[in-house]
Amino acid sequence: MSLPPLALLLLGAGGLRAAEPGGGGGGSSGSSSAMEELATEQEAEESHRQDSVSLLTFILLLTLTILTIWLFKHRRVRFLHETGLAMIYGLIVGVILRYGTPSTSGHDKPFSCSQEDRPFTTLLVNVSGKFFEYTLKGEISPGKIHNVEQNDMLRKVTFDPEVFFNILLPPIIFHAGYSLKKRHFFRNLGSILAYAFLGTAVSCFIIGNLMYGVVKLMKLVGQLSGKFYYTDCLLFGAIISATDPVTVLAIFNELHADVDLYALLFGESVLNDAVAIVLSSSIVAYQPTGENTHAFDAAAFFKSVGVFLGIFSGSFMMGAVTGVVTALVTKFTKLHCFPLLETALFFLMSWSTFLLAEACGFTGVVAVLFCGITQAHYTYNNLSVESRSRTKQLFEVLHFLAENFIFSYMGLALFTFQKHIFSPVFIIGAFVAIFLGRAAHIYPLSFLLNLGRRHKISWNFQHMMMFSGLRGAMAFALAIRDTATYSHQMMFSTTLLIVFFTVWIVGGGTTPMLSWLNIRVGVDPDQDPPPTNDSFQVLQGDGPDSERRNRTKQESAWLFRLWYSFDHNYLKPILTHSGPPLTTTLPSWCGLIARCLTSPQVYDNQEQLREEDSDFILNDGDLTVTYGDTTITANGSSGPHTATTSLDGRRTKSSSEEALERDLGAADHEVTSRGTRLVFPLEDNA
């Protein structure tokens, strides 16, 4: 039977009073009372000053990082990414705080509460007739009872892990979904889902089992001084399987690397984070019945699988529903007349998705990710021009600051975190397990996926994906969330070192690796990859026998093609100001509902707003032909980012990029030519 919070507080206070010699007795003179009040005020003022200094420290770190990033970009330095730079600055400040600031507190005194069988989250302590409130920070091993942090400044710069989850992670994850380049993402959707779901699960179990062998070895040689269960090893596998190739993707974007490779890596990392956090929650929920709570139990295993499916699907639905509600609000109100209010509502609805999911027992990371994708797909079309620009810039800035803040804190935590446990055997075993887990993740899945892909995932792509399995913010946030036990403290310290190594070494080697693997760079994002088998590509436009031989349509994932028509004909007209009128897609007896749900702008606009989804599946046998850096069409039209050459030899420059960025914020646009049969020699993608 659980006791009410007030009873817990009184019991905790009573336990401490019983252990205090002469506690609670006697009064004090007026002068001593005044001195105590003055000392209390001085301590409060000193605490406020230290809070300001700790926040100023991180702001100066970010400022210094931004200035150095500008210098690197100006000098075209690519061997170190901004996140690695932020970690270096964090390390420097951590060393200064650890060894350059004196201890300012030496008043910690242990008390005994032997009559209590469990700790309380809050204690009321009676000191000379005055009650003081204390909160629980965590367990301290007996061997470190006299090594508790005595430096108040180091205590101030050590943040509550919930700060990372509730404040810093939401803008990072939302921005990933909101800025998703959907054309190439959906073209590789099947492969991305396979890598993210099946690949992450394979990586988790391989790393977990290998690390369990390492733990057994540590126990055999006497290197293990605490409890480390099999479920802890699986939890470490789930945590460290969360990839964050932010450094690699930034270099890809700067060099305009192959768009399909970029889509595979970006899509895997986005969904991989969501899968890893749900997988870790499922492992924590694994509770076998019986005396041995860490043995394998079939019922508990299937329960964990059910927890995984339930949490993921529930979080997905919550994020999608929040995005749909926001789209409806922005469509059927006049908020677009007040861009400031529109942007504020968009921001609050998006952020609240994360907190709502966490409050309901789901995973906020999954919810806010799919909320961002839904907002970009529907709500974005309803926003005013000012709000479109504001929302993109707002979340881009928040993403940049939050990500660099986390990496700066990683460097700081190496010296300020008090519960580090570094084991050379565990660290070396973790690096080997991660390498083998990544290899088992990429190569077998790529082989199976290539059996059904028209454009194969080549060996150089596979090697690059293997190389790009960096660990970053999500792995760190998952590891620091629970450091109460010996095993979790060792896992956190090892995760920190793995992040350092992958960001500095692997991230710095991205450019040489691209060159060594002969991966295309300087690629137009709208240019389709050349065929792998034929030196001539025949594309046919309109005609009775065309059979819609549209490269984009053929390459789009079948899962996307299943719901595209439904989304285009019904969801888009209901939730946005674009798409065909519902009066033309719904049955005639739904005419009243169709007229109510269809936006008047659909009828007013003679030329429909172009949708980004039309880049995925083109109708009427539209034709796209790209040769090198030049798009050749029968009518001289072209897509953005390219110079165009018409059949009469004239060379023109496209102006559609500005319109597309203004209307959609996406850099995906197709070039079409109708009623023509063209045969061009294309490079062989050997």
Side-chain angles (χ1 to χ4, degrees):
M1 178 178 179
S2 60
L3 297 173
L6 182 59
L8 292 177
L9 298 180
L10 295 178
L11 278 175
L16 282 179
R17 287 200 300 269
E20 291 175 0
S28 59
S29 61
S31 59
S32 63
S33 178
M35 292 294 293
E36 290 177 0
E37 292 180 358
L38 180 61
T40 302
E41 291 178 358
Q42 290 177 347
E43 290 181 359
E45 183 177 353
E46 178 68 16
S47 177
H48 172 72
R49 186 186 68 82
Q50 291 175 351
D51 286 335
S52 301
V53 171
S54 64
L55 292 176
L56 179 63
T57 300
F58 285 103
I59 291 177
L60 292 178
L61 275 174
L62 292 175
T63 303
L64 186 60
T65 301
I66 291 173
L67 293 176
T68 313
I69 290 171
W70 169 82
L71 181 62
F72 278 23
K73 289 185 179 294
H74 182 68
R75 299 293 182 182
R76 298 185 181 277
V77 176
R78 297 193 182 99
F79 67 87
L80 185 64
H81 187 249
E82 59 200 42
T83 54
L85 191 65
M87 292 170 66
I88 292 176
Y89 287 144
L91 282 171
I92 295 173
V93 174
V95 171
I96 295 174
L97 292 178
R98 166 57 61 189
Y99 302 107
T101 56
S103 298
T104 55
S105 174
H107 307 293
D108 293 335
K109 179 180 178 181
F111 291 94
S112 175
C113 298
S114 57
Q115 68 270 33
E116 306 299 342
D117 59 352
R118 61 188 180 91
F120 298 100
T121 56
T122 307
L123 296 178
L124 294 180
V125 181
N126 185 350
V127 180
S128 301
K130 294 183 179 180
F131 287 90
F132 296 88
E133 181 181 357
Y134 292 82
T135 57
L136 178 68
K137 292 196 66 175
E139 181 183 2
I140 301 173
S141 61
K144 296 185 178 181
I145 190 67
H146 299 293
N147 296 330
V148 179
E149 181 56 63
Q150 300 296 320
N151 192 321
D152 287 343
M153 188 61 196
L154 291 181
R155 287 180 174 179
K156 293 291 185 181
V157 297
T158 304
F159 286 96
D160 189 328
E162 294 303 317
V163 171
F164 293 98
F165 262 80
N166 295 330
I167 297 178
L168 298 178
L169 275 185
I172 295 176
I173 303 300
F174 182 86
H175 178 264
Y178 194 53
S179 61
L180 190 68
K181 295 292 188 291
K182 290 188 285 295
R183 176 192 175 192
H184 299 287
F185 177 85
F186 283 109
R187 186 164 68 182
N188 297 279
L189 182 61
S191 301
I192 291 172
L193 291 177
Y195 285 128
F197 284 87
L198 186 58
T200 303
V202 169
S203 175
C204 168
F205 283 100
I206 288 180
I207 293 175
N209 283 279
L210 290 175
M211 293 312 298
Y212 187 64
V214 173
V215 168
K216 287 294 185 182
L217 177 63
M218 293 172 60
K219 187 176 181 180
L220 185 64
V221 299
Q223 295 291 321
L224 195 66
S225 58
K227 296 179 179 179
F228 212 120
Y229 298 105
Y230 178 67
T231 52
D232 295 325
C233 296
L234 286 180
L235 179 62
F236 178 72
I239 290 173
I240 211 65
S241 293
T243 60
D244 186 16
V246 56
T247 305
V248 176
L249 292 177
I251 295 175
F252 278 14
N253 190 52
E254 184 178 353
L255 296 178
H256 298 289
D258 190 283
V259 287
D260 283 330
L261 177 61
Y262 183 94
L264 287 172
L265 273 176
F266 180 79
E268 182 212 354
S269 66
V270 167
L271 295 180
N272 164 273
D273 289 346
V275 174
I277 191 172
V278 179
L279 197 58
S280 63
S281 300
S282 303
I283 294 172
V284 171
Y286 178 79
Q287 295 179 346
T289 58
E291 296 181 358
N292 190 356
T293 57
H294 294 276
F296 177 78
D297 184 89
F301 172 77
F302 286 109
K303 179 183 177 182
S304 296
V305 173
V307 169
F308 175 87
L309 297 176
I311 291 179
F312 196 94
S313 58
S315 303
F316 166 78
M317 290 300 300
M318 187 166 291
V321 168
T322 305
V324 167
V325 169
T326 310
L328 291 173
V329 171
T330 54
K331 177 182 178 180
F332 292 104
T333 63
K334 297 294 184 180
L335 273 176
H336 64 273
C337 299
F338 306 93
L340 179 60
L341 300 181
E342 189 178 37
T343 304
L345 178 67
F346 184 93
F347 174 80
L348 294 177
M349 290 291 290
S350 302
W351 201 306
S352 64
T353 305
F354 183 93
L355 302 177
L356 179 62
E358 292 289 335
C360 294
F362 296 111
T363 300
V365 170
V366 179
V368 79
L369 169 64
F370 287 101
C371 176
I373 295 175
T374 307
Q375 300 277 46
H377 191 60
Y378 298 115
T379 310
Y380 184 85
N381 294 320
N382 300 335
L383 299 178
S384 60
V385 176
E386 293 88 345
S387 294
R388 291 181 182 181
S389 176
R390 286 177 178 176
T391 54
K392 280 192 169 292
Q393 293 176 0
L394 173 63
F395 280 101
E396 187 175 4
V397 170
L398 290 176
H399 163 264
F400 173 82
L401 293 177
E403 189 170 60
N404 282 278
F405 183 93
I406 290 179
F407 279 93
S408 297
Y409 186 79
M410 287 184 198
L412 205 67
L414 188 62
F415 293 97
T416 61
F417 186 72
Q418 288 301 297
K419 301 176 182 179
H420 279 307
I421 299 178
F422 294 102
S423 171
V425 177
F426 190 86
I427 293 171
I428 295 174
F431 275 100
V432 174
I434 289 172
F435 177 84
L436 295 177
R438 184 69 179 173
H441 173 178
I442 296 298
Y443 295 114
L445 277 181
S446 299
F447 171 78
L448 295 176
L449 290 171
N450 281 338
L451 298 178
R453 284 179 62 98
R454 182 185 178 201
H455 285 277
K456 311 300 182 184
I457 303 174
S458 60
W459 280 107
N460 57 347
F461 277 25
Q462 296 178 42
H463 297 328
M464 194 68 217
M465 294 180 68
M466 170 71 188
F467 179 80
S468 303
L470 284 75
R471 271 62 178 179
M474 179 57 69
F476 173 79
L478 287 173
I480 200 176
R481 196 173 192 182
D482 182 8
T483 56
T485 63
Y486 169 84
S487 59
H488 288 195
Q489 291 165 11
M490 185 182 294
M491 287 156 50
F492 170 72
S493 303
T494 305
T495 300
L496 203 57
L497 293 182
I498 290 172
V499 173
F500 287 165
F501 178 84
T502 55
V503 170
W504 289 338
I505 306 301
V506 178
T510 300
T511 303
M513 185 61 69
L514 284 172
S515 176
W516 185 63
L517 293 175
N518 294 320
I519 294 177
R520 300 187 307 162
V521 295
V523 178
D524 187 335
D526 296 301
Q527 177 182 344
D528 287 317
T532 57
N533 298 324
D534 301 326
S535 59
F536 288 86
Q537 180 69 27
V538 180
L539 299 179
Q540 185 164 336
D542 290 343
D545 300 324
S546 66
E547 299 180 1
R548 296 185 180 182
R549 293 193 177 184
N550 183 307
R551 179 181 296 174
T552 305
K553 179 175 181 178
Q554 290 180 350
E555 292 178 354
S556 298
W558 65 270
L559 189 62
F560 172 76
R561 295 200 301 267
L562 287 178
W563 69 269
Y564 169 77
S565 296
F566 177 77
D567 174 71
H568 175 74
N569 293 329
Y570 303 105
L571 294 183
K572 273 293 184 71
I574 293 175
L575 301 177
T576 70
H577 297 302
S578 61
L582 288 173
T583 52
T584 62
T585 58
L586 288 177
S588 58
W589 54 270
C590 297
L592 180 60
I593 298 177
R595 285 190 294 271
C596 293
L597 294 178
T598 302
S599 171
Q601 298 182 21
V602 174
Y603 299 104
D604 295 339
N605 295 333
Q606 295 295 326
E607 188 172 328
Q608 292 292 321
L609 296 174
R610 179 176 174 81
E611 301 178 61
E612 62 269 33
D613 290 345
S614 59
D615 293 333
F616 312 146
I617 299 178
L618 302 179
N619 298 320
D620 300 325
D622 291 349
L623 171 66
T624 301
V625 175
T626 303
Y627 176 66
D629 293 330
T630 304
T631 301
I632 304 178
T633 69
N635 56 8
S637 62
S638 70
H641 312 294
T642 62
T644 65
T645 304
S646 59
L647 294 185
D648 59 3
R650 291 177 298 174
R651 189 172 180 84
T652 60
K653 185 176 181 180
S654 171
S655 62
S656 61
E657 181 178 3
E658 293 183 1
L660 190 59
E661 289 290 340
R662 180 177 67 252
D663 295 339
L664 300 175
D668 296 331
H669 208 56
E670 285 289 340
V671 185
T672 64
S673 173
R674 302 174 181 272
T676 307
R677 181 182 178 87
L678 302 176
V679 181
F680 291 105
L682 299 177
E683 293 182 2
D684 191 11
N685 188 22

